[in-house]
Amino acid sequence: MTQAHLELVLPAVPDSIPAIRRAVGDAAVELHADAAAVDSVKLAVTEAVTNIVRHAYGEDGGEIHVAVEAGTRTLVVWVVDEGGGVVAHAHDDEGGYGMRLMRALSRSCDVSSGVDGTSVRMVFPLAGGEAES
Amino acid sequence: MSDRAAHVEVDGDVTLVSLELDVDFESEQAIVSAVSSALVLERPVLVDMSDCTFLELRALRALSDAYHQARAHHLPFVVVLPFDGAPLVRRLMLELVCELAPFPIAPTRVDARRRLAARPTGPESAQLSSLRRRLWEHGAATKKLLARRDELILEQRRALAEL
C-alpha cells in the first residue's frame, strides 16, 4: 500500500457503519472525486463494512480496518477484517447482490480471504461515470 | 448513530411512511416496524422517499418485503421517488438492483395518490369479492329454481293428462 490518505480502525458494530461511510465520503471529496464517484464509494464501502459487522466476527467482536489512498486518477479503498475469513463471508451479501453491487460501483473489486480474515480492495475512478468501463 | 428515520402517519385515506436521511442496515427494523404498523391500519400504503439521502441494500430489501406483505393483504403500495431525489438512491433502485424494487414508483405524492386511487383498497377489494361471490350464488340459486319450476310444470301436465 502507498501512503494512505485516510486510515481508520473501528469496532465492528452497527454504529461504525455510518461513521466509516462519512469518513470515506469526505476522503473521496478531498481527493477530488466527483459527486457520482463519492456516492459509489460510500455505497460500496457501506456494503463491505456491513458484511463485516454482520458476519465476520462472533460474539467477541473485532475491528474493521479501512484505508483510502490516491491512485492515478483513481481512489483505492481497502476494507479489512480479522474474522472468520471466507466461511464467515460465504453468506455475506444475501443472494449475491452485495458483491454484485461492489463490482458494479467500482472499476475493480478484489476479495482475498483466509484464516486471518478478509480483505476487500476496491478501485474507483475519480469521475463516477467511468466505473463501468 | 446513523442518521435515519422511518415515520408512520395516517394522511387522509392512506398510511404514509416517510423514510428520511440515511436509510441503512440499522433502518431495516424501523422499516419493518413502520410498514407493519401501516398494514395493521388496513389502508393503502404510500412510502415517501423524497428526503432519503442514502439507501442501503438491506433497507431496500426490507422495503421490497414490505411491498410483498402489503400485496398479500390486498393493500395498494406505492413508493414516491422524485426525479430530483438523491442520485444514489435513484441509481440503486432504478438501475443497480432494480429487481429489488418491484413496487410501483411515482415521482410525487400527487401521482402516488392517483395510483392508489385507481385501485380498489383492501377492504373495498374484499367487499368486491364478496359481492361477486353472492352474485354467483344468487345466479346458481336462480338456475336451480327455474329448473325446479320446469319440473313442476311437467309434473302438472302429466297429472292433467292422466285425468
Side-chain angles (χ1 to χ4, degrees), chain B residues 16-36:
Chain B
L16 174 64
V17 180
S18 303
L19 302 182
E20 297 168 351
L21 303 175
D22 285 10
V23 180
D24 61 13
F25 163 56
E26 287 207 277
S27 309
E28 190 178 333
Q29 194 51 49
I31 292 174
V32 170
S33 301
V35 180
S36 295

Side-chain angles (χ1 to χ4, degrees), chain B residues 139-151:
Chain B
T142 303
K143 275 188 182 175
K144 278 182 190 170
L145 284 171
L146 289 172
R148 180 66 185 142
R149 183 198 65 177
D150 291 346
E151 284 174 13

Side-chain angles (χ1 to χ4, degrees), chain A residues 21 47 51 94 100 132, chain B residues 58 61 91 96 99:
Chain A
R21 180 165 63 243
E47 189 54 41
N51 285 338
E94 306 175 29
R100 188 178 117 189
E132 290 83 6
Chain B
R58 285 154 195 85
R61 192 185 284 274
R91 192 175 171 209
L96 291 169
E99 61 270 46

Side-chain angles (χ1 to χ4, degrees), chain B residues 8-69:
Chain B
V8 185
E9 61 185 290
V10 173
D11 184 14
D13 55 351
V14 305
T15 306
L16 174 64
V17 180
S18 303
L19 302 182
E20 297 168 351
L21 303 175
D22 285 10
V23 180
D24 61 13
F25 163 56
E26 287 207 277
S27 309
E28 190 178 333
Q29 194 51 49
I31 292 174
V32 170
S33 301
V35 180
S36 295
S37 306
L39 296 181
V40 166
L41 292 169
E42 292 192 335
R43 290 162 184 258
V45 181
L46 192 159
V47 179
D48 193 346
M49 302 186 70
S50 303
D51 297 321
C52 178
T53 52
F54 181 85
L55 183 66
E56 191 259 351
L57 200 54
R58 285 154 195 85
L60 178 57
R61 192 185 284 274
L63 206 55
S64 176
D65 291 345
Y67 165 69
H68 290 298
Q69 273 183 47

Side-chain angles (χ1 to χ4, degrees), chain A residues 20-86:
Chain A
I20 291 171
R21 180 165 63 243
R22 281 192 209 102
V24 171
D26 290 346
V29 171
E30 287 161 12
L31 292 171
H32 309 294
D34 69 12
V38 173
D39 277 349
S40 295
V41 171
K42 286 166 69 176
L43 185 54
V45 168
T46 297
E47 189 54 41
V49 170
T50 302
N51 285 338
I52 294 175
V53 170
R54 284 171 67 104
H55 303 301
Y57 298 105
E59 289 180 359
D60 294 338
E63 290 177 332
I64 305 167
H65 300 254
V66 177
V68 178
E69 61 189 60
T72 308
R73 296 181 58 200
T74 60
L75 192 142
V76 184
V77 181
W78 298 77
V79 181
V80 179
D81 69 65
E82 298 158 330
V86 74

